[in-house]
């Protein structure tokens, strides 16, 4: 059996196999050549001291042979002639639900309003270059969901929700780097994730599942409070007694459909704010306490949380070496998000800086009932679109100028390709949010010396942090509390907050369907 150690080493040692072997040999008081292999189990950066270190959990093969672990896919079954289950939405919840159904011997019919990962690129180019928003194909809609072109972060705090390692190992089996099994904050990268998503889709089809692109669900057919199937925009009817609803946090038309049909939904608090962009070198200098991070340290991330006027204000979806993207899903609105390529090699770092909202904040929109939060969200996105010039340009302001209520006249070019318009961001948000943001950035600057600077550009709004609606379901069966056979799932239903937790929730819903159909 290999011997396991927890060690802390300099970055250059962690990055060099021979230096690491020599270090471990001295630790074990053996010769370096007696060590056959060192497997890294977990890796994280410790930047709390002036001298940055790397924490490693390692397995040392000393005087014994090492055999690499093979990451294999489960033994999927041909389900082409088996009972069908509809999945609405081909994001991580939908894709992993489909894989789990195939394992159980059920046939998934995966319905996606957007396009496949390759075709999506044209529509992303159109929104970036031409300011054209396709309501069915954009950064939020399409194969792989919002995460496909929004970074591919795989870190989750949802350890109690399910088997995180299983999801990570499946990603590796479908082509992701084994590094995601090791890193404390695993990340695939927007440039690599599409190929992996395509491999998952091809596997679903290979074993008899069906995937329909450019197919928007316009009605859920319900009879005697039991689902019968769905209707698409072309008037086609697809029948099934089990439907997994995994449409993501931006599927407003689905929320409106459920509301019209008197299918119970609830308003849900979410978080909203801005996306802040700094030079990556500045964040490196703050986090690593050095002028130059060197070649062995990754671009530094940051995470910060403050309580301001009784509200949590915190960093969200922080993207080292990344860019800011336009994530509107309809004309007449602007929305921001961030992503990083796998190497995180862009010159800027960005992060959502958001404030937790409460149901009482939606009171001006109470006439919309369960859709009050969604209408609140929409109103801010539409106001930002109007203030920035009614294109996909976004309102922007230098950080210090924002805290002083000064319009920034000389905003430099940022990573946000459609461009920016100088706006006093207090015009975008309700007064209470503006006040919290201004006070919060001042507090951030005290905690991270150098963070509060006019080199940082704020882009508004960051508004799609999570779903503004929860679709309630039974805690045990995971079926909707009112409609039998309907399984609200993932981020859009309010039960996940990222790729991993959504994938886990997709598997959970599939397993519950298998249980109901006596497939377990």
């Amino acid at each position: 059996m290999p011997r396991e150690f927890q060690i802390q080493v300099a970055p250059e040692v962690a990055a060099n196999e021979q230096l690491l072997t020599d270090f471990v040999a001295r630790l074990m008081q053996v010769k370096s050549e007696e060590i056959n292999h060192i497997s890294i189990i977990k890796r994280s950066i410790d930047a709390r001291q002036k001298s940055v270190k790397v924490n490693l959990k390692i397995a040392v093969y000393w005087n014994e042979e090492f055999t690499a672990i093979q990451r294999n896919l489960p033994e999927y079954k041909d389900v082409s002639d088996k009972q069908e289950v509809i999945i609405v939405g081909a994001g991580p919840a939908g894709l992993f639900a489909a894989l789990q159904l195939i394992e159980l011997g059920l046939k998934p019919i995966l319905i996606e309003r957007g396009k496949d990962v390759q075709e999506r690129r044209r529509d992303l180019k159109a929104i970036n270059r031409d300011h054209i928003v396709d309501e069915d194909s954009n950064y939020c809609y399409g194969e792989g969901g919002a995460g496909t072109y929004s970074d591919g972060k795989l870190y989750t705090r949802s350890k109690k929700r399910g088997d995180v390692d299983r999801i990570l190992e499946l990603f590796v089996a479908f082509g992701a780097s084994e590094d995601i099994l090791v890193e404390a904050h695993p990340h695939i990268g927007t440039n690599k994730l599409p190929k992996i998503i395509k491999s998952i889709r091809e596997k679903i089809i290979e074993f008899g599942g069906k995937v329909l692109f450019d197919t928007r669900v316009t009605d859920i057919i319900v009879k005697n409070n039991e689902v019968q199937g769905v209707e698409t925009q072309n008037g086609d009817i697809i029948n099934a007694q089990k439907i997994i609803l995994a449409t993501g946090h931006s599927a407003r038309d689905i929320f409106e459909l459920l509301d019209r049909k008197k299918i119970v939904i609830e308003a849900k608090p979410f978080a909203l704010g801005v996306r802040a962009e700094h030079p990556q070198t500045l964040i490196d200098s703050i986090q690593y306490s050095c002028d130059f991070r060197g070649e062995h340290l990754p671009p530094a991330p940051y995470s910060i949380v403050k309580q301001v006027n009784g509200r949590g204000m915190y960093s969200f979806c922080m993207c080292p070496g990344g860019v800011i993207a336009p994530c509107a899903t309809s004309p007449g609105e602007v929305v921001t998000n961030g992503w990083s390529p796998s190497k995180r090699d862009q010159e800027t770092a960005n992060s959502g800086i958001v404030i937790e909202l409460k149901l009482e904040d939606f009171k001006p929109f109470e006439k919309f009932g369960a859709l009050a939060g969604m209408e609140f969200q929409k109103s801010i996105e539409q106001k930002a679109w109007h203030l920035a010039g009614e294109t996909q340009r976004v309102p922007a302001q230098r950080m210090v100028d924002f805290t002083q209520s000064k319009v920034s006249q000389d905003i430099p070019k940022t990573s946000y390709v459609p461009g920016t318009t100088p706006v006093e961001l207090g015009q975008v948000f309700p007064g209470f949010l503006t006040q919290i943001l201004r006070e919060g950035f001042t507090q951030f600057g005290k905690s991270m010396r150098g963070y509060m600077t006019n080199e940082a550009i704020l882009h508004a709004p960051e508004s799609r942090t999570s779903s503004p609606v929860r679709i309630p379901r039974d805690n045990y069966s995971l079926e909707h509390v009112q409609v039998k056979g309907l399984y609200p799932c993932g981020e859009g239903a309010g039960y996940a907050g990222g790729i991993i937790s959504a994938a886990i929730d997709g598997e959970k819903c599939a397993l519950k369907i298998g249980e109901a159909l006596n497939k377990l």
Side-chain angles (χ1 to χ4, degrees):
M1 291 289 291
R3 294 180 61 183
E4 291 190 2
F5 296 91
Q6 294 272 6
I7 60 175
Q8 190 176 73
V9 297
E12 57 270 22
V13 174
N16 185 288
E17 185 177 339
Q18 187 58 56
L19 291 178
L20 181 59
T21 301
D22 293 343
F23 179 94
V24 173
R26 290 193 297 272
L27 178 68
M28 296 177 63
Q29 298 182 332
V30 300
K31 295 179 180 179
S32 295
E33 51 267 29
E34 294 178 17
I35 296 176
N36 289 330
H37 182 77
I38 298 174
S39 290
I40 297 175
I41 301 171
K42 287 296 177 185
R43 177 169 48 221
S44 63
I45 305 292
D46 186 347
R48 292 173 294 178
Q49 307 299 323
K50 191 165 185 178
S51 178
V52 179
K53 299 292 185 181
V54 179
N55 295 321
L56 296 175
K57 181 179 181 181
I58 58 174
V60 181
Y61 292 78
W62 171 55
N63 279 337
E64 61 181 304
E65 288 194 22
F66 165 74
T67 302
I69 299 173
Q70 296 296 316
R71 309 288 177 185
N72 297 318
L73 290 171
E75 292 187 9
Y76 295 121
K77 310 165 186 177
D78 186 346
V79 296
S80 53
D81 60 349
K82 303 300 182 181
Q83 183 170 347
E84 296 178 346
V85 176
I86 290 173
I87 303 171
V88 186
L95 289 168
F96 279 80
L99 292 172
Q100 184 68 78
L101 288 171
I102 291 173
E103 277 194 71
L104 296 171
L106 294 166
K107 179 178 179 177
I109 307 295
L110 196 55
I111 303 175
E112 171 54 52
R113 69 188 298 163
K115 300 175 183 176
D116 66 41
V117 285
Q118 289 84 4
E119 290 296 314
R120 278 181 80 181
R121 294 180 188 274
R122 298 179 184 178
D123 299 313
L124 302 186
K125 184 176 181 180
I127 193 172
N128 274 291
R129 301 293 183 184
D130 305 319
H131 302 252
I132 297 171
V133 180
D134 185 319
E135 293 187 83
D136 288 315
S137 179
N138 45 62
Y139 275 96
C140 292
Y141 301 151
E143 186 179 20
T148 304
Y149 292 103
S150 305
D151 205 44
K153 287 184 180 66
L154 301 180
Y155 177 64
T156 180
R157 293 183 176 88
S158 306
K159 307 297 183 184
K160 295 181 181 178
R161 294 188 181 181
D163 191 344
V164 172
D165 289 340
R166 169 181 158 86
I167 301 299
L168 293 175
E169 286 168 3
L170 279 171
F171 270 117
V172 171
F174 277 108
S177 166
E178 291 205 1
D179 285 347
I180 68 172
L181 304 175
V182 171
E183 299 293 347
H185 292 80
H187 163 262
I188 292 180
T190 298
N191 55 321
K192 292 190 174 182
L193 194 53
K195 185 177 180 181
I196 295 166
I197 297 299
K198 180 185 176 185
S199 296
I200 294 174
R201 177 233 305 165
E202 290 173 342
K203 190 63 63 176
I204 291 168
I205 294 172
E206 177 187 346
F207 283 90
K210 196 170 183 181
V211 182
L212 305 175
F213 293 115
D214 297 305
T215 305
R216 180 169 15 98
V217 168
T218 55
D219 194 15
I220 298 171
I221 303 167
V222 179
K223 186 176 181 180
N224 298 325
N225 280 336
E226 293 187 18
V227 296
Q228 305 293 307
V230 299
E231 183 175 352
T232 72
Q233 84 272 28
N234 297 322
D236 297 330
I237 304 295
I238 304 173
N239 296 309
Q241 273 64 58
K242 301 291 183 183
I243 299 174
I244 295 177
L245 196 60
T247 54
H249 59 43
S250 292
R252 290 171 174 168
D253 56 336
I254 292 295
F255 300 148
E256 290 166 346
L257 170 66
L258 297 175
D259 194 50
R260 284 196 308 274
K261 293 178 75 71
K262 308 299 182 186
I263 295 174
V264 176
I265 59 174
E266 304 166 349
K268 183 180 78 65
F270 57 102
L272 185 144
V274 298
R275 188 150 282 267
E277 181 170 275
H278 290 78
Q280 181 62 56
T281 52
L282 175 59
I283 299 300
D284 290 342
S285 68
I286 294 171
Q287 297 297 85
Y288 293 146
S289 302
C290 61
D291 293 331
F292 176 63
R293 74 168 186 266
E295 61 179 312
H296 301 302
L297 284 173
Y302 66 84
S303 176
I304 191 165
V305 181
K306 294 291 180 184
Q307 284 292 315
V308 186
N309 297 344
R311 306 268 187 151
M313 176 170 160
Y314 56 93
S315 55
F316 168 83
C317 184
M318 196 274 149
C319 300
V323 302
I324 300 176
C327 291
T329 51
S330 295
E333 65 189 26
V334 290
V335 181
T336 65
N337 197 357
W339 59 268
S340 301
S342 57
K343 293 183 179 180
R344 293 181 162 173
D345 54 1
Q346 303 300 299
E347 294 181 354
T348 52
N350 69 78
S351 179
I353 306 296
V354 297
I355 297 162
E356 60 180 1
L357 298 175
K358 303 176 181 179
L359 290 177
E360 64 200 54
D361 299 329
F362 310 147
K363 193 164 185 179
F365 300 88
E366 61 186 352
K367 70 178 182 180
F368 295 101
L371 302 179
M374 187 185 85
E375 293 297 328
F376 173 91
Q377 181 189 60
K378 190 189 299 185
S379 70
I380 289 175
E381 295 169 359
Q382 291 173 347
K383 185 185 293 184
W385 175 79
H386 177 72
L387 289 168
E390 301 187 348
T391 66
Q392 282 303 299
R393 298 174 73 90
V394 294
Q397 195 170 10
R398 292 180 182 269
M399 186 181 288
V400 176
D401 289 348
F402 171 65
T403 63
Q404 298 174 353
S405 306
K406 291 166 50 180
V407 176
S408 305
Q409 299 298 337
D410 58 342
I411 293 177
K413 181 177 174 59
T414 72
S415 67
Y416 183 83
V417 173
T420 61
T421 299
V423 171
E424 205 296 280
L425 297 186
Q427 297 180 68
V428 176
F429 302 106
F432 77 94
L433 282 180
T434 300
Q435 182 182 356
I436 293 169
L437 282 167
R438 285 181 175 143
E439 172 60 27
F441 279 121
T442 301
Q443 291 190 30
F444 279 23
K446 292 175 181 177
S447 295
M448 290 177 62
R449 194 171 300 275
Y451 182 87
M452 174 73 140
T453 171
N454 258 350
E455 285 189 81
I457 310 300
L458 307 181
H459 303 62
E462 167 81 38
S463 50
R464 305 287 179 95
T465 55
S466 67
S467 177
V469 167
R470 177 173 284 107
I471 308 173
R473 66 189 188 188
D474 180 82
N475 289 335
Y476 176 75
S477 71
L478 304 188
E479 284 182 297
H480 187 270
V481 294
Q482 172 192 355
V483 180
K484 189 171 178 60
L486 181 64
Y487 293 78
C489 182
E491 281 204 54
Y495 300 102
I499 291 173
I500 295 295
S501 57
I504 288 171
D505 203 54
E507 287 201 333
K508 285 170 62 177
C509 288
L511 286 167
K512 284 298 181 181
I513 289 175
E515 186 179 310
L517 297 174
N518 297 316
K519 294 294 182 178
L520 294 179

